[in-house]
């Protein structure tokens, strides 16, 4: 079985490194695609021929197009409408959380400052979406 | 008597008694008689001559005597002369001859002549004396009759006038005629038989009279006459005529009738059924007479009243009554108002008209009494109403104007004068009378208001309005002002308009203020908008700052901690304990920094966002916080006391923050206690969180609620110094207050109040 990839949208290289290290430590075999701003994420994910990842780990504070905007755009496209999106953010603002769920996020995870907690969180998130979750394919309308 | 004839002519006195036998001059027949006597004597002596001779003068002496008596001087002389001639010629010897006679004859002749002359002279003088006396008597009688104050006439048996009074002549209108000696019937042939009969009865000796005989004159006027017909006669003789006496007593009768009538009238007036009249003695006040109406009014009988004094009725102090009586009696005052006491002791207001009734010996006082109690009462009420109205009008700040149907003043108040910029009502009234068009009136929008659109004409057309705005200008002074008018027609009970009432208020100042307020409001709104924009900008800035803090400050910390951890993991055993300790310090520092950031965010969140109040179960919330704390540190043994039924009108999210901080503090600072106690409940109207923990020194209490200020060292009780600052902000956002009391080692009490807006909504 060809493992689907995991897409990480993160502009902070340090967080990216820590995230990749955590996923690696969790021994997930999925390919990790790292995208560094919102526009790049949209370009990548909305390309019609693209094999969709198993999950998108999306930061909120992104250059060019914000994470929330990326989420909204993904949910408008029928193809990515049901794509699992997990928000990974430093914010613990209630407001952010609310807007994300309203925007169709599948979950909202605060990045703990403490690395151990962070690593565990990332590992769990990756494990959940990569292994446990049974994805659904959006129905295609007949041509 | 005849029908009385009006006579107003005032003729001269013409009446007189006919001259009688004792007149001044002997009549011709007297003289003839006197002259005839000598011849008679001559003839008689001729017969008797044989017996009387030789006394030739025998019968001539008496003849001469009587001739003088009858014919007086000249009759006597003539008789004497004739007698002498006759005797000389016939009887002196020789008879029947003029020849010379004997001297004795001549001597006797001379004696005879002297005697005859003496007779004549004596008789003449006697006669004159008698005549004078007669004349005087006659004149007196004439005067008496002439001036008798009655119509008086004396007739002889043939009804010829013998004497008549001037009044008679006047009344019969015959002053211009000499009627003496003429017959009454000749002068008044129309005299009716009835009267002629009365005359005849008089002539027959009867006295007929009437005290008051009524005659209706031809012109319809009624005349009253008193008359008497009485025969006159010399003593002991049958009547020689009648005297008719008549007197016009019409005036007397009329006066009498008038008097009777007047008396009847006044008597009737006095006895009148309705008018209360008392007759008083002005000296004593005694009631001399009282009419039936008085008896009915006062409740005493007329007899009782006549035994009373006015002092018993009038409620004036008795000593004042004489003065009132005197004033009334003198005519100084004729009109009084008194209170009179009735028999049943009730009091009535009376209006009294009084005056004096002059009598011969003393005068009395009449008093006409009119009960005006109801009238006075009504007057009083009406006056009271009027006074009230006038007072109300005068005290009104609004201009009030009441007009008749022509729009003329009936009533207006001081405020009306002031409203039109007059000094007083008098000036206002005068100016409007002299210059009715002194005002320019404009509508609220500034256009000229035609007279038909002014308040009074509109009200008189039946319109009503309130707060109708007009702008006014005095033509004379140029003053302008704005009036707010309310007006309405005044209708009578039938609903037709009888006038108008207009109430005006000067709203110039109000309008100015309104304008000012409007301007201020506009400015204020603008400023508020500006400030709001500023605040919004500041809030947005704070928001983005918090966001930046929450995102961007955490990432480096995570990197610091994360990579330190990565180093530790990767190098593992190759690291010395000291190196490992350094990495741990980095990790610890980044963790603490993260806590500080969390604290700042928590603090800022308490001041941001809306406040969503609801009725909140504080007991349940506190219990939840307690359970969380016990879950984290299950080994702690704490005696909790959470009062049941605590509620607040508050924002649930903020209240949770508040309780987590306060209960968390109590939990934290009571850690050293063997028997730690935490209580959450009410103290009066406030809530209190009480513990028996470490407490603090009140000397430092001022720092208690300031962020990042701590009263304990980190190694005693770790913390950020954010909790109580957050708590205070939450309380302040709810409009409440909080205070703390503590002693080191004795625990602390935090007391806070939350206004319950649900119970006192504003």
């Amino acid at each position: 079985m060809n493992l689907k990839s995991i897409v990480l949208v993160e502009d902070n290289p340090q967080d990216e490194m820590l995230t990749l290290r955590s996923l690696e430590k969790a021994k997930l075999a999925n390919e990790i695609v790292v995208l560094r701003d919102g526009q790049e994420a949209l370009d990548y994910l909305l390309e019609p021929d693209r094999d969709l990842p198993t999950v998108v780990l999306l930061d909120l504070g992104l250059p060019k197009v914000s994470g929330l905007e990326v989420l909204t755009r993904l949910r408008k496209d029928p193809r990515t409408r049901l794509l699992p999106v997990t928000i990974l953010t430093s914010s613990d603002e209630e407001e952010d959380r609310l807007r994300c769920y309203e925007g169709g996020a599948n979950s909202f995870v605060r990045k703990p400052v403490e690395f151990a907690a962070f690593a565990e969180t990332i590992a769990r998130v990756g494990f959940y979406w990569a292994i446990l979750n049974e994805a659904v394919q959006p129905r295609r309308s007949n041509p | 008597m005849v029908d009385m004839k009006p006579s107003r002519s005032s003729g001269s006195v013409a009446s007189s008694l006919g001259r009688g036998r004792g007149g001044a001059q002997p009549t011709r027949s007297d003289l003839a008689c006197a002259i005839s006597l000598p011849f008679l004597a001559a003839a008689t002596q001729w017969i008797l001559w044989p017996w009387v001779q030789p006394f030739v003068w025998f019968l001539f002496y008496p003849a001469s005597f009587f001739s003088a008596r009858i014919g007086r001087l000249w009759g006597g002389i003539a008789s004497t002369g004739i007698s002498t001639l006759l005797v000389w010629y016939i009887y002196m010897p020789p008879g029947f001859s003029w020849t010379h006679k004997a001297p004795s004859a001549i001597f006797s002749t001379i004696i005879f002549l002297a005697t005859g002359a003496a007779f004549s002279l004596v008789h003449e003088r006697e006669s004159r004396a008698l005549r004078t006396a007669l004349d005087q008597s006659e004149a007196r009688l004439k005067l008496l009759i002439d001036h008798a104050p009655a119509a008086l006439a004396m007739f002889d048996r043939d009804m010829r006038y013998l004497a008549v009074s001037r009044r008679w002549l006047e009344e019969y209108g015959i002053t211009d005629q000499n009627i003496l000696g003429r017959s009454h019937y000749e002068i008044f042939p129309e005299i009716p038989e009835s009267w002629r009969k009365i005359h005849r009865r008089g002539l027959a000796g009867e006295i007929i009279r009437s005290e008051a005989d009524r005659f209706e004159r031809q012109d319809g006027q009624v005349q009253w006459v008193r008359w008497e017909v009485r025969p006159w006669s010399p003593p002991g003789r049958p009547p020689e005529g009648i005297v008719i006496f008549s007197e016009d007593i019409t005036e007397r009768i009329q006066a009498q009738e008038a008097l009777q009538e007047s008396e009847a009238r006044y008597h009737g007036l006095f006895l009148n059924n309705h008018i209360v009249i008392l007759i008083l003695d002005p000296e004593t006040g005694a009631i001399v007479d009282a009419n039936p109406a008085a008896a009915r009014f006062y409740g005493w009988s007329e007899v009782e009243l006549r035994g009373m004094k006015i002092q018993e009725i009038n409620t004036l102090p008795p000593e004042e009554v004489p003065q009132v009586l005197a004033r009334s009696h003198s005519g100084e005052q004729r009109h009084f108002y008194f209170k009179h006491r009735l028999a049943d002791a009730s009091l009535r207001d009376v209006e009294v008209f009084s005056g004096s009734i002059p009598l011969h010996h003393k005068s009395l006082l009449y008093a006409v009494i009119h009960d005006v109690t109801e009238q006075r009462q009504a007057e009083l009420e009406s006056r009271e109403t009027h006074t009230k109205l006038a007072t109300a009008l005068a005290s009104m700040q609004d201009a009030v104007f009441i007009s008749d149907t022509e729009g003329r003043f009936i009533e207006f108040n001081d405020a009306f004068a002031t409203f039109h910029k007059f000094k007083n009502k008098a000036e206002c009234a005068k100016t409007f009378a002299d210059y009715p068009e002194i005002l320019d009136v404009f509508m609220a929008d500034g256009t000229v208001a035609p007279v038909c659109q002014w308040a009074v004409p509109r009200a008189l057309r039946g319109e009503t309005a309130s707060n109708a705005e007009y702008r006014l200008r005095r033509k004379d002074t140029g003053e302008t002002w704005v009036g707010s008018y309310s007006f309405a027609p005044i209708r009578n009970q039938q609903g037709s308009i009888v006038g108008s009432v207009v109430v005006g208020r000067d709203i110039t100042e109000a309008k100015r203020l309104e304008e000012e307020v409007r301007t201020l409001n506009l400015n204020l709104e603008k400023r508020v908008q500006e400030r709001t924009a500023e605040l919004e900008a500041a809030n947005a800035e704070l928001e983005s700052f918090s966001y930046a803090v929450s995102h961007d400050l955490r990432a480096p910390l995570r990197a610091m901690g994360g990579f330190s951890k990565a180093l530790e993991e990767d190098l593992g055993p190759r690291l010395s304990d000291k190196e490992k300790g350094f990495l741990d310090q980095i990790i610890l520092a980044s963790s603490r920094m993260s806590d500080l950031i969390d604290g700042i965010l928590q603090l800022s969140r308490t001041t941001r966002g809306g406040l969503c109040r609801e009725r909140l179960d504080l007991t349940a919330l506190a219990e939840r916080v307690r359970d969380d704390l016990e879950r984290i540190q299950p080994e702690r043994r704490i005696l909790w006391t959470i009062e049941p039924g605590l509620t607040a009108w508050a924002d649930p999210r903020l209240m949770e923050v508040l309780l987590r901080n306060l209960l968390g503090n109590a939990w934290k600072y009571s850690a050293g206690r063997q028997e730690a106690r935490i209580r959450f409940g009410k103290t009066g109207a406030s809530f209190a969180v009480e513990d028996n923990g470490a407490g603090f020194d009140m000397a430092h209490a001022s720092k208690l609620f300031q962020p990042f200020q701590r009263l304990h060292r980190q190694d005693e009780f770790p913390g950020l110094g954010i909790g109580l600052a957050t708590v205070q902000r939450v309380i302040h956002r709810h409009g409440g207050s909080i205070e703390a009391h503590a002693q080191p080692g004795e625990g602390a009490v935090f007391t806070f109040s939350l206004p319950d807006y649900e119970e006192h909504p504003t």
Side-chain angles (χ1 to χ4, degrees):
Chain A
M1 176 178 139
N2 204 5
L3 277 177
K4 282 184 164 183
S5 63
I6 292 174
V7 167
L8 172 67
V9 188
E10 177 63 80
D11 68 318
N12 186 327
Q14 292 163 336
D15 275 354
E16 178 199 324
M17 284 169 70
L18 291 171
T19 306
L20 290 178
R21 180 183 165 91
S22 300
L23 289 174
E24 204 173 302
K25 287 237 170 187
K27 304 202 187 324
L28 285 173
N30 308 57
E31 182 199 359
I32 313 273
V33 178
V34 178
L35 303 167
R36 296 201 165 77
D37 63 49
Q39 189 57 57
E40 197 181 335
L42 286 174
D43 290 347
Y44 177 86
L45 291 168
L46 294 180
E47 202 204 320
D49 298 331
R50 177 82 57 213
D51 283 333
L52 288 178
T54 181
V55 66
V56 177
L57 303 175
L58 182 63
D59 191 11
L60 280 181
L62 291 172
K64 294 182 184 172
V65 178
S66 78
L68 202 61
E69 180 67 19
V70 171
L71 174 66
T72 312
R73 299 266 287 273
L74 288 178
R75 290 296 176 247
K76 279 184 181 163
D77 189 310
R79 207 173 60 90
T80 56
R81 193 163 57 88
L82 297 174
L83 179 64
V85 174
T86 289
I87 304 295
L88 265 182
T89 175
S90 305
S91 167
D92 59 350
E93 294 288 319
E94 186 78 28
E95 189 67 24
D96 280 344
R97 204 180 327 221
L98 191 65
R99 277 188 297 183
C100 287
Y101 279 120
E102 281 174 353
N106 297 76
S107 69
F108 184 99
V109 177
R110 189 193 158 189
K111 290 188 262 186
V113 166
E114 205 196 336
F115 179 69
F118 178 74
E120 192 184 332
T121 303
I122 295 298
R124 283 187 185 172
V125 168
F127 187 71
Y128 172 79
W129 290 110
I131 311 295
L132 297 179
N133 188 46
E134 295 200 4
V136 287
Q137 288 296 320
R139 275 183 227 123
R140 285 185 180 271
S141 52
N142 292 325
Chain B
M1 288 292 286
V2 295
D3 291 21
M4 301 303 280
K5 298 199 172 155
S7 163
R8 294 292 167 258
S9 58
S10 54
S12 58
V13 179
S15 67
S16 166
L17 282 176
R19 295 205 177 259
R21 262 144 281 206
Q25 291 301 321
T27 60
R28 212 169 276 176
S29 64
D30 290 339
L31 281 178
C33 183
I35 289 167
S36 67
L37 277 181
F39 293 104
L40 187 65
T44 308
Q45 195 163 292
W46 182 263
I47 296 164
L48 298 178
W49 186 248
W51 294 281
V52 296
Q53 66 176 336
F55 303 105
V56 290
W57 302 99
F58 184 79
L59 283 180
F60 288 95
Y61 271 101
S64 171
F65 179 84
F66 285 107
S67 288
R69 185 151 188 107
I70 296 166
R72 310 239 191 112
L73 182 62
W74 298 110
I77 285 172
S79 174
T80 303
I82 291 167
S83 296
T84 304
L85 289 175
L86 286 173
V87 170
W88 188 273
Y89 183 69
I90 299 172
Y91 291 106
M92 289 286 193
F96 299 104
S97 145
W98 301 100
T99 56
H100 184 69
K101 309 295 186 197
S104 62
I106 292 167
F107 181 70
S108 71
T109 303
I110 290 167
I111 287 173
F112 180 76
L113 284 171
T115 306
F119 282 149
S120 300
L121 284 171
V122 167
H123 281 288
E124 179 65 24
R125 206 169 57 224
E126 261 181 20
S127 161
R128 279 179 188 272
L130 185 70
R131 196 186 63 210
T132 305
L134 207 69
D135 278 353
Q136 282 174 354
S137 161
E138 195 177 315
R140 278 199 293 273
L141 186 62
K142 177 182 177 306
L143 203 66
L144 195 67
I145 294 177
D146 198 22
H147 293 284
L152 193 66
M154 189 172 180
F155 298 91
D156 63 10
R157 292 202 65 88
D158 297 322
M159 287 303 288
R160 282 194 294 263
Y161 281 98
L162 295 178
V164 68
S165 75
R166 200 190 311 193
R167 182 71 68 86
W168 182 281
L169 297 175
E170 284 170 8
E171 288 189 356
Y172 286 89
I174 45 176
T175 46
D176 50 344
Q177 297 179 40
N178 184 5
I179 58 165
L180 291 180
R182 293 174 64 195
S183 164
H184 190 46
Y185 305 140
E186 179 194 336
I187 295 169
F188 301 110
E190 70 275 20
I191 287 177
E193 180 54 30
S194 58
W195 275 107
R196 292 174 193 250
K197 200 171 164 188
I198 289 170
H199 295 161
R200 282 197 294 278
R201 284 165 62 193
L203 287 170
E206 192 181 345
I207 296 171
I208 310 108
R209 65 161 72 93
S210 168
E211 282 305 319
D213 216 348
R214 187 174 184 278
F215 291 94
E216 202 161 313
R217 288 204 319 220
Q218 282 166 344
D219 61 2
Q221 283 193 30
V222 169
Q223 203 162 19
W224 289 87
V225 176
R226 181 163 81 91
W227 57 263
E228 186 174 309
V229 174
R230 163 189 286 278
W232 66 273
S233 59
R237 297 266 296 278
E240 292 195 355
I242 53 172
V243 174
I244 300 178
F245 157 87
S246 81
E247 186 186 4
D248 183 352
I249 54 167
T250 309
E251 281 177 20
R252 207 173 72 203
I253 294 285
Q254 279 174 349
Q256 222 166 42
E257 279 179 352
L259 194 68
Q260 281 169 357
E261 217 170 281
S262 148
E263 202 192 328
R265 207 158 46 226
Y266 288 114
H267 197 61
L269 200 63
F270 186 70
L271 293 177
N272 182 284
N273 280 335
H274 306 292
I275 304 170
V276 177
I277 303 173
L278 296 179
I279 309 289
L280 304 175
D281 184 330
E283 318 249 306
T284 63
I287 297 172
V288 177
D289 205 353
N291 67 350
R296 263 196 311 281
F297 175 61
Y298 288 111
W300 279 293
S301 72
E302 290 166 65
V303 176
E304 280 173 320
L305 281 170
R306 280 185 210 111
M308 291 168 64
K309 286 187 167 189
I310 193 67
Q311 286 91 325
E312 297 170 59
I313 286 174
N314 199 320
T315 55
L316 277 183
E319 64 272 17
E320 282 181 30
V321 171
Q323 297 164 16
V324 171
L325 288 170
R327 277 211 303 283
S328 170
H329 189 47
S330 67
E332 192 184 322
Q333 193 180 355
R334 297 185 174 281
H335 187 211
F336 301 88
Y337 284 105
F338 294 126
K339 270 192 188 299
H340 276 186
R341 185 182 295 110
L342 309 189
D344 62 7
S346 64
L347 296 177
R348 306 294 291 179
D349 285 306
V350 292
E351 184 179 18
V352 177
F353 295 91
S354 72
S356 59
I357 310 169
L359 298 177
H360 294 304
H361 46 293
K362 71 183 288 189
S363 56
L364 293 173
L365 204 60
Y366 71 83
V368 176
I369 290 133
H370 184 40
D371 182 2
V372 292
T373 308
E374 277 82 19
Q375 197 181 325
R376 291 282 274 198
Q377 193 62 35
E379 255 172 46
L380 217 62
E381 280 166 16
S382 155
R383 197 176 307 155
E384 205 171 303
T385 309
H386 190 262
T387 308
K388 272 184 197 162
L389 274 178
T391 313
L393 271 186
S395 59
M396 275 182 77
Q397 297 298 307
D398 289 347
V400 178
F401 172 81
I402 298 169
S403 83
D404 62 10
T405 50
E406 305 296 318
R408 290 177 299 234
F409 288 127
I410 290 177
E411 189 72 66
F412 65 100
N413 62 357
D414 296 325
F416 182 79
T418 318
F419 176 74
H420 289 97
K421 314 294 182 192
F422 293 109
K423 284 198 287 291
N424 50 45
K425 283 178 77 173
E427 192 198 21
C428 176
K430 186 174 171 0
T431 311
F432 273 118
D434 294 347
Y435 313 103
E437 295 174 2
I438 193 155
L439 291 177
D440 280 329
V441 180
F442 305 94
M443 307 301 285
D445 60 9
T447 56
V448 174
V451 174
C452 66
Q453 286 303 315
W454 294 16
V456 172
R458 286 179 65 189
L460 289 175
R461 285 199 302 270
E463 288 184 50
T464 60
S466 50
N467 302 325
E469 192 176 311
Y470 291 95
R471 285 160 196 271
L472 297 101
R473 184 172 67 202
R474 279 268 296 268
K475 282 178 179 162
D476 52 345
T477 62
E479 289 166 285
T480 62
W481 67 97
V482 186
S484 169
Y485 286 79
S486 300
F487 53 81
I490 302 173
R491 293 177 191 275
N492 62 10
Q493 286 178 335
Q494 286 74 46
S496 47
I497 295 172
V498 295
S500 73
V501 58
V502 175
V503 178
R505 174 179 293 186
D506 189 336
I507 56 164
T508 313
E509 185 62 12
K511 290 294 277 188
R512 195 184 63 73
L513 287 175
E514 196 180 292
E515 187 60 30
E516 206 166 283
V517 166
R518 211 168 59 81
T519 314
L520 282 176
N521 272 340
L522 273 177
N523 284 341
L524 188 65
E525 208 169 301
K526 205 172 135 203
R527 280 173 57 197
V528 165
Q529 277 173 357
E530 284 169 6
R531 290 303 298 272
T532 308
E534 278 170 29
L535 275 173
E536 277 170 356
N539 262 340
E541 218 166 286
L542 189 65
E543 198 91 23
S544 62
F545 172 74
S546 303
Y547 203 76
V549 165
S550 103
H551 276 82
D552 302 343
L553 289 188
R554 273 184 182 136
L557 290 175
R558 197 158 47 241
M560 284 157 63
F563 289 115
S564 300
K565 191 71 184 169
L567 268 181
E568 207 179 67
E569 281 172 8
D570 291 359
L571 296 177
R574 285 185 283 163
L575 282 176
S576 69
D577 282 353
K578 191 182 174 189
E579 288 160 344
K580 198 167 179 295
F582 288 160
L583 284 174
D584 285 345
Q585 285 307 314
I586 294 172
I587 292 166
L588 196 66
S590 62
S591 169
R592 176 157 175 77
M593 180 78 185
S594 172
D595 287 345
L596 277 171
I597 290 167
D598 286 348
I600 290 170
L601 286 175
Q602 187 196 57
L603 192 62
S604 82
R605 267 201 296 270
T606 56
T607 53
R608 284 188 288 133
L611 200 62
C612 302
R613 289 175 193 259
E614 59 184 57
R615 177 57 45 190
L616 200 59
D617 185 346
L618 285 186
T619 301
L621 186 56
E623 284 169 350
R624 203 160 68 235
V625 171
R626 178 197 63 192
D627 295 348
D628 286 351
L629 289 167
E630 286 183 336
R631 202 158 37 240
I632 295 166
Q633 283 187 282
E635 72 283 2
R636 287 282 305 273
R637 286 286 173 270
I638 305 264
L639 189 62
W640 285 91
T641 311
I642 295 175
E643 261 181 42
L646 298 176
T647 62
W649 179 243
D651 183 300
R653 189 176 59 88
L654 291 178
M655 284 315 287
E656 184 173 343
V657 169
L658 178 128
L659 283 182
R660 283 202 186 284
N661 277 294
L662 285 179
L663 294 175
N665 278 349
W667 175 274
K668 181 163 77 180
Y669 290 106
S670 60
R673 291 285 159 196
Q674 283 291 318
E675 287 182 16
R677 286 194 307 273
I678 298 174
R679 189 186 83 90
F680 175 51
K682 277 214 140 177
T683 301
S686 302
F687 298 98
V689 174
E690 196 177 347
D691 66 68
N692 63 344
F696 53 88
D697 187 349
M698 285 298 284
H700 306 128
S702 59
K703 287 184 173 181
L704 203 59
F705 295 106
Q706 291 177 16
F708 306 113
Q709 297 289 332
R710 304 203 64 233
L711 300 186
H712 298 277
R713 295 208 313 269
Q714 284 294 339
D715 54 358
E716 293 174 320
F717 296 100
L720 297 171
I722 290 296
L724 287 177
T726 306
V727 164
Q728 191 186 43
R729 289 189 186 194
V730 168
I731 296 289
H732 286 177
R733 284 206 73 189
H734 283 84
S737 63
I738 183 165
E739 52 187 53
H741 291 281
Q743 275 190 337
E746 298 287 315
V749 184
F750 289 85
T751 311
F752 61 95
S753 63
L754 292 170
D756 214 327
Y757 287 110
E758 195 180 44
E759 286 172 23
H760 308 283
T762 51

